[in-house]
Amino acid sequence: MRYSTQVKPISYLKANAAEVLLNLAEKREPLVITQNGEAKAVIQDVASFEQTQETLALLKLLALGTRDMEAGRTKPARAVVERLRAKASDR
């Protein structure tokens, strides 16, 4: 996606807020808002924002897992499963 096609001045946003919101929901592409010719903000629909946040959370988990592996903080899967089964049977 090329953000250069999705750049509007803040005055456009002020004058066309309802239309901008409809376009965000339909196209699901972020919109760059400029002020005095300089990019100042990016707006996007809520569904895309939530998806981005979920993706970032998964990437963070992967990075933490990779860090744990590199540091040798791992356990065999069999040992983990056995421990979980033992806890479940205690209940």
Side-chain angles (χ1 to χ4, degrees), residues 29-68:
E29 294 179 356
L31 180 66
V32 177
I33 302 298
T34 63
Q35 187 176 35
N36 299 323
E38 187 178 333
K40 291 291 185 175
V42 177
I43 60 173
Q44 66 184 132
D45 65 287
V46 173
S48 294
F49 176 77
E50 288 173 341
Q51 184 178 17
T52 299
Q53 294 305 303
E54 289 172 5
T55 300
L56 289 172
L58 288 172
L59 287 171
K60 184 175 182 176
L61 287 173
L62 287 171
L64 291 171
T66 300
R67 200 176 303 151
D68 282 345

Side-chain angles (χ1 to χ4, degrees), residues 5-13 20 31-35:
T5 62
Q6 292 294 106
V7 177
K8 298 287 182 193
I10 196 165
S11 58
Y12 179 86
L13 177 61
V20 167
L31 180 66
V32 177
I33 302 298
T34 63
Q35 187 176 35

Side-chain angles (χ1 to χ4, degrees), residues 13-31:
L13 177 61
K14 289 177 184 178
N16 302 286
E19 178 186 337
V20 167
L21 293 177
L22 285 174
N23 285 337
L24 288 172
E26 287 176 9
K27 294 181 180 180
R28 296 195 63 177
E29 294 179 356
L31 180 66

